[in-house]
Amino acid sequence: MSRPPTVRRVLAVIPARGGSKGVPAKNLAPVGGVPLVARAVRECRAARYVTDVVVSTDDQAIAAAARQAGAEVVLRPAAIAGDTATSEAAVLHAMDTHEALHGAPVDVVLLVQCTSPFLIREDIDAVAAAVATRTADTAVTVAPFHGFIWRDTGDDPVPTPFTGTGASAEPAPGAAPAATAAAPAEPVSSPAADVATAPAPGAAQAAVAESVTTAVAPGSFAGREAAPASDGTPAAAGDTRHTSPAASAAPAAGGQGVNHDKAFRPRRQDRPQDFLETGAAYAMDAAGFRTHRHRFFGRTELVRTDPARVLEIDDPHELARARALAPLFDAERPGALPTAQDIDAVVLDFDGTQTDDRVLIDSDGREFVSVHRGDGLGIAALRRSGLKLLILSTEQNPVVAARARKLKLPVLHGIDRKDLALKQWCEEQGIAPERVLYVGNDVNDLPCFALVGWPVAVASAHDVVRGAARAVTTLPGGDGAIREIAGWILGPSLDSLPK
């Protein structure tokens, strides 16, 4: 893997506690057939600027998954492993431990959240580059945001109506009183006031930092136009003659605008560009982070990412959504499909993968199924390539064994617990389960999916099975899906075939 010409030590820290409440064992939950923690490790290791990857955890199962994915593991002490522990505390501890172990200081430290399943290496590189090249002190992934945010005052004991600056119209309890209107405004200058923006991945190095300074009078909205008078003449700036009594009175109960004045509805192009913090990746100058003990200080660069990929998993519904989206987002990513270097064995379900899952029954009760000749060609090529193959099915019909004989493959059928049979077969063959590609289509294949490194679903598989798969074919079962998989592994021309 190529590195930037001037290498600084860039440590990516992935906090992954074991005590998730909303989704038990969340950081081990597979999305696209890969545990969340392993997805984060994979993208960090592929980033050009990242030199070291550490997973901070208090859980041995997460530690094992992280090591298998290629990360160094720092076991987190109980004092910073509870529900109230901050990510900053975990990053500081991991950085200290890593430096002590390797005897070399870290220049840039990243905080990467594995609960953002669609974070990509380009975004990690962009935040790392902003700090590693000394363009900024800190950096964060953001997505363009144009929404109107509301707050229900019934849910908020201290209403905070929009004032045009994002601040409450009334001082918080215990806060110093606001300056009087007669007091002259004093210019404020600090490094933190400069916010740099970076373009989408791929153009991060060509980004031009923008310093954004906006002064907005209390009660106004940046870029708003004064409402015209009833006779059509424009109102002067600050004219409140045409404001409704409800708008000019004290905030009433109900919905209040947070980033907008609900009495005024500007067009999208007239509103300032807002950005949503994605929660996926942060970069900090290591020395500054150790001093400030917070992820934001000094100059912060905003790294724009694809809004479609923004998703944080905190509850089962978000996990289900991530699994449904994974086949779409992962399909074009590097390493999304297996090659011959990734696997040692291919295990095939029968009904629904090698067939279309339909059965024809004659008047004597005999069952007939249909198979695809292209699948037979693909299986023959896989067998000649030297990979181990197996047909594994719960179906007791003799047609399964007959098809296996035709293909010259070993077969286990009439099996109730396919996962146990697969585990035993792997042990007998001396094959690590993570080097096995398993093809399935229905929920009885999910235990095998959880066991292997490459769970693959055919296009016609049940929704939950496609969501649990690491890869999904474009062709349905019984219509060339196995031939398609053989093409992934051996190349479209099935290179193991005689020339």
Side-chain angles (χ1 to χ4, degrees):
M1 179 170 56
S2 61
R3 296 286 181 196
T6 303
V7 177
R8 302 182 72 199
R9 289 188 67 88
V10 178
L11 174 66
V13 179
I14 304 169
R17 290 192 310 116
S20 173
K21 297 290 194 301
V23 180
K26 174 176 63 179
N27 292 315
L28 289 173
V31 170
V34 180
L36 285 172
V37 66
R39 290 178 69 97
V41 171
R42 178 185 67 193
E43 295 305 307
C44 286
R45 293 188 67 208
R48 293 178 62 246
Y49 276 86
V50 174
T51 57
D52 302 275
V53 182
V54 166
V55 171
S56 168
T57 186
D58 60 336
D59 184 275
Q60 290 297 336
I62 293 174
R67 290 189 185 100
Q68 184 176 318
E72 179 182 322
V73 171
V74 169
L75 292 176
R76 198 186 307 184
I80 57 171
D83 292 339
T84 59
T86 66
S87 296
E88 279 86 347
V91 173
L92 280 167
H93 173 261
M95 187 167 68
D96 288 344
T97 304
H98 177 81
E99 289 182 340
L101 178 64
H102 295 277
V106 170
D107 299 304
V108 179
V109 63
L110 310 185
L111 164 58
V112 177
Q113 299 285 19
C114 58
T115 48
S116 294
F118 303 122
L119 173 66
I120 56 177
R121 60 200 67 176
E122 291 87 349
D123 295 340
I124 296 171
D125 259 334
V127 293
V131 180
T133 60
R134 297 181 173 87
T135 302
D137 301 297
T138 59
V140 57
T141 51
V142 298
F145 176 74
H146 300 92
F148 291 99
I149 301 176
W150 289 80
R151 182 173 297 151
D152 191 331
T153 55
D155 299 331
D156 183 8
V158 183
T160 54
F162 178 75
T163 66
T165 62
S168 172
E170 296 293 333
T180 63
E186 299 242 2
V188 178
S189 176
S190 72
D194 289 330
V195 179
T197 60
Q205 301 307 308
V208 178
E210 296 178 0
S211 294
V212 180
T213 55
T214 306
V216 185
S220 68
F221 184 85
R224 71 177 290 177
E225 299 172 357
S230 58
D231 60 3
T233 59
D239 190 344
T240 60
R241 291 173 299 167
H242 309 289
T243 305
S244 68
S248 59
Q256 296 292 335
V258 174
N259 67 338
H260 67 288
D261 180 348
K262 71 176 184 179
F264 177 69
R265 198 74 171 181
R267 299 177 303 168
R268 175 168 169 163
Q269 60 265 38
D270 294 331
R271 300 176 60 209
Q273 175 67 72
D274 290 326
F275 293 96
L276 178 71
E277 183 178 325
T278 70
Y282 306 81
M284 296 82 72
D285 173 76
F289 179 64
R290 199 181 297 280
T291 299
H292 294 274
R293 309 179 75 83
H294 191 268
R295 69 189 73 178
F296 294 120
F297 53 88
R299 183 182 181 83
T300 297
E301 183 157 322
L302 306 182
V303 174
R304 303 187 191 198
T305 62
D306 181 359
R309 290 183 171 273
V310 177
L311 177 61
E312 290 186 272
I313 297 176
D314 286 313
D315 63 43
H317 301 290
E318 290 161 341
L319 177 59
R321 183 154 33 117
R323 286 172 169 168
L325 290 170
L328 302 176
F329 286 138
D330 291 353
E332 302 302 323
R333 299 299 301 161
L337 298 178
T339 67
Q341 288 70 45
D342 298 320
I343 60 172
D344 296 324
V346 176
V347 179
L348 306 170
D349 182 31
F350 186 73
D351 288 319
T353 58
Q354 298 182 61
T355 77
D356 61 5
D357 223 12
R358 294 185 300 172
V359 177
L360 302 177
I361 305 175
D362 69 9
S363 58
D364 295 323
R366 290 177 297 182
E367 296 184 357
F368 301 87
V369 297
S370 169
V371 295
H372 195 277
R373 292 232 182 245
D375 286 347
L377 183 69
I379 289 171
L382 290 171
R383 180 166 48 82
R384 282 194 283 265
S385 74
L387 289 169
K388 297 283 187 180
L389 281 92
L390 174 70
I391 294 176
L392 181 59
S393 174
T394 58
E395 179 57 55
Q396 298 183 5
N397 194 301
V399 70
V400 181
R403 180 61 175 166
R405 286 194 300 271
K406 173 78 172 178
L407 297 172
K408 300 179 182 178
L409 296 185
V411 60
L412 296 172
H413 69 112
I415 304 295
D416 290 329
R417 288 289 305 274
K418 292 200 291 184
D419 57 328
L420 296 181
L422 176 57
K423 185 175 182 180
Q424 181 178 347
W425 181 80
C426 287
E427 291 174 354
E428 292 171 352
Q429 299 295 321
I431 297 172
E434 58 268 21
R435 300 275 302 171
V436 173
L437 183 151
Y438 179 93
V439 188
N441 75 300
D442 216 327
V443 293
N444 62 341
D445 294 308
L446 291 176
C448 290
F449 272 31
L451 183 64
V452 303
W454 279 95
V456 175
V458 295
S460 51
H462 191 280
D463 288 349
V464 70
V465 178
R466 291 201 308 273
R470 187 169 179 177
V472 180
T473 65
T474 60
L475 295 171
D479 198 23
I482 308 304
R483 169 64 175 81
E484 180 182 343
I485 294 168
W488 296 348
I489 298 168
L490 303 174
S493 61
L494 302 179
D495 293 336
S496 69
L497 287 173
K499 301 299 183 185

